[in-house]
Amino acid sequence: GVMSVEPVVNIPDYPEPERVHAESARGNVALLGAASYFMEMPAAAFEQAIAGQFASKGDKVVEANAAVFKAARELAESRAAK
């Protein structure tokens, strides 16, 4: 039901909740990266915040999210220049 704490498994190949959460976080970081290009805040400030947010998950997670941020920001910059 709506208030249940137990997930309903109705899709046989649905990924583990941890994986879904991780992919969702990367999507949010990508959106932040793209939007950051249009904000009056240096990229380094966002990168520092990302590092702080994901520090407890280890260097690999921090580096992965930093790469997603950078790629999305660069894509926004390249598209805005056209």
Side-chain angles (χ1 to χ4, degrees), residues 29 32 36 41-56 61-62 65-66 69:
V29 171
L32 177 65
S36 73
M41 189 175 197
F46 289 103
E47 292 164 349
Q48 184 178 14
I50 290 167
Q53 180 67 33
F54 294 102
S56 66
V61 173
V62 170
N65 281 282
F69 173 86

Side-chain angles (χ1 to χ4, degrees), residues 9-82:
V9 180
N10 57 359
I11 302 172
D13 296 338
Y14 200 76
E16 294 297 315
E18 295 81 16
R19 181 172 167 213
V20 172
H21 177 70
E23 290 177 11
S24 173
R26 280 192 295 275
N28 290 339
V29 171
L31 181 59
L32 177 65
S36 73
Y37 175 73
F38 302 98
M39 297 177 184
E40 294 184 19
M41 189 175 197
F46 289 103
E47 292 164 349
Q48 184 178 14
I50 290 167
Q53 180 67 33
F54 294 102
S56 66
K57 298 190 182 289
D59 289 343
K60 286 179 111 175
V61 173
V62 170
E63 291 167 9
N65 281 282
V68 167
F69 173 86
K70 182 178 179 185
R73 185 177 170 95
E74 289 173 355
L75 180 62
E77 182 177 7
S78 72
R79 297 279 172 94
K82 291 183 178 183

